[in-house]
């Protein structure tokens, strides 16, 4: 049997990571879970995010989904809840955190920016990441919830309100000395072209997609999880959501996550 990889995000942003993983490991079995009832995670408390991820683990178990590896393709959830959720499951988990380290290595001006959600920017995980990997570099932090909404809209409708996007980016007042901007939210690569156009190509935009795909590949090999058996019959990618998705772009199964306080142990 092929390895079953579940990719998780609050919304559709994690598909930007999923694409990289699928490209690198085409023969695995995939499911995609979006907790869009609680979107945006960037505006949620750390405890709420921890509860939702613990509920996800419960959901996987209760529905015997046989997941071999979970990718939390959400910087907000990873920086808020990675260690807590690892304590409630044996399933290996790969988190997605802002690409601060490669950005610090890439910058020529010694000045980088992190564009992420308010929760990611405020998290102690992000502060540690910067302290450990960007000590000799100036790092400016910028947060936006509106960009998440614009990315969701753009994904599902193909429409982008460019004026609104420019308004949001203008409002962030991004320092002109920055030559590398970390896209520290998996929703933002959906907008990578218009964001790059906004900066007229003068700022390198960096996300963690390729690094995550490499990490997943490495872990599957370490765990001896087979992904290349020719005899495998691959099921179509299953999408789950916790709230209605107003688009017929994806076939989505609507599900509910039970709050940890409501679990009935058998
Ligand atoms: N995609 C999520 C991330 O990478 C954030 C979106 C949200 O705020 O829910 O941080």
């Amino acid at each position: 049997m092929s390895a079953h990889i579940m990719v998780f995000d609050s919304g559709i942003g994690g598909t930007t990571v999923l694409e990289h993983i699928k490209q690198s490991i085409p023969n695995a079995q995939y499911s995609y879970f979006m907790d869009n009832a609680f979107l945006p995670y960037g505006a949620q408390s750390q405890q709420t995010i921890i509860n939702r991820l613990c509920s996800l683990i419960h959901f996987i178990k209760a529905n015997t989904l046989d997941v071999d590896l979970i990718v939390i393709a959400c910087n907000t959830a990873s920086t808020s809840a990675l260690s807590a959720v690892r304590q409630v499951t044996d399933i290996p988990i790969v988190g997605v955190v802002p690409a601060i380290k490669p950005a610090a290595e890439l910058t020529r001006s010694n000045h980088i920016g992190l564009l992420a959600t308010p929760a990611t920017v405020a998290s102690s995980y992000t502060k540690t990441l910067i302290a450990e990997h960007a000590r000799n570099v100036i790092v400016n932090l910028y947060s936006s919830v509106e960009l998440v909404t614009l990315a969701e809209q753009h994904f599902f409708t193909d429409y982008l309100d460019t004026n609104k996007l420019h308004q949001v980016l203008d409002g962030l007042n991004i320092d002109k000395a920055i030559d590398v901007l970390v896209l520290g939210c998996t929703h933002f690569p959906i907008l990578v072209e218009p964001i790059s156009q906004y900066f007229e190509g003068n700022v390198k935009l960096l996300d963690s997609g390729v690094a995550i795909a490499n990490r997943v590949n490495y872990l599957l090999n370490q765990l001896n999880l087979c992904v290349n058996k020719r005899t495998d019959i691959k099921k179509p990618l299953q999408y789950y959501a916790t709230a209605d998705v107003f688009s017929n772009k994806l076939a989505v199964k609507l599900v509910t996550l039970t709050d940890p306080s409501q679990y009935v142990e058998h």
Side-chain angles (χ1 to χ4, degrees):
M1 278 271 286
S2 273
H4 178 188
I5 301 171
M6 177 177 274
V7 177
F8 171 89
D9 184 33
S10 54
I12 207 64
T15 57
T16 62
V17 178
L18 174 66
E19 286 312 314
H20 285 289
I21 305 173
K22 270 172 40 187
Q23 238 173 51
S24 161
I25 314 162
N27 292 328
Q29 193 66 57
Y30 291 97
S31 43
Y32 186 85
F33 194 112
M34 54 187 131
D35 187 16
N36 52 337
F38 278 61
L39 181 77
Y41 266 25
Q44 302 288 355
S45 72
Q46 182 176 19
Q47 193 53 55
T48 301
I49 296 172
I50 291 174
N51 287 353
R52 296 302 286 177
L53 284 166
C54 290
S55 301
L56 171 76
I57 301 299
H58 182 78
F59 176 86
I60 290 171
K61 225 163 106 185
N63 290 280
T64 48
L65 295 184
D66 293 327
V67 172
D68 295 301
L69 190 137
I70 301 169
V71 179
I72 301 183
C74 174
N75 293 262
T76 310
S78 299
T79 54
S80 307
L82 205 50
S83 50
V85 75
R86 279 189 174 132
Q87 284 168 30
V88 298
T89 182
D90 291 337
I91 303 172
I93 301 178
V94 175
V96 175
V97 297
I100 295 290
K101 191 176 176 208
E105 287 163 2
L106 197 66
T107 179
R108 293 268 167 269
S109 66
N110 272 338
H111 198 157
I112 65 172
L114 167 63
L115 179 57
T117 66
T120 297
V121 160
S123 77
S124 54
Y125 193 111
T126 299
K127 289 195 177 80
T128 308
L129 209 57
I130 292 170
E132 282 178 1
H133 300 295
R135 221 171 307 142
N136 302 319
V137 169
I138 303 170
V139 185
N140 285 8
L141 306 177
Y142 304 98
S143 67
S144 173
V145 172
E146 290 100 328
L147 289 178
V148 174
T149 310
L150 285 175
E152 287 274 326
Q153 263 170 16
H154 187 44
F155 180 92
F156 284 115
T157 65
D158 288 330
Y159 169 75
L160 178 67
D161 184 342
T162 311
N163 285 338
K164 175 78 186 159
L165 176 74
H166 286 197
Q167 221 176 53
V168 173
L169 292 170
D170 284 347
L172 293 173
N173 225 344
I174 292 175
D175 197 307
K176 297 267 185 300
I178 286 170
D179 64 346
V180 183
L181 183 66
V182 177
L183 299 181
C185 168
T186 53
H187 277 77
F188 299 167
I190 293 173
L191 303 172
V192 71
E193 278 174 30
I195 294 177
S196 179
Q197 277 160 15
Y198 172 84
F199 289 112
E200 297 173 339
N202 293 325
V203 175
K204 288 196 182 75
L205 303 174
L206 219 62
D207 65 66
S208 310
V210 172
I212 297 305
N214 291 340
R215 177 76 189 147
V216 171
N217 219 331
Y218 171 82
L219 270 182
L220 290 184
N221 283 318
Q222 288 286 304
L223 298 164
N224 267 331
L225 285 169
C226 176
V227 287
N228 281 322
K229 259 195 193 164
R230 290 232 190 99
T231 50
D232 281 354
I233 299 163
K234 232 174 66 172
K235 288 189 219 137
L237 170 56
Q238 175 69 60
Y239 289 89
Y240 300 93
T242 54
D244 280 325
V245 174
F246 297 103
S247 158
N248 47 17
K249 206 165 169 174
L250 307 173
V252 176
K253 189 170 174 183
L254 192 60
V255 297
T256 305
L257 288 185
T258 314
D259 190 80
S261 61
Q262 307 293 312
Y263 296 163
V264 182
E265 298 294 345
H266 297 287

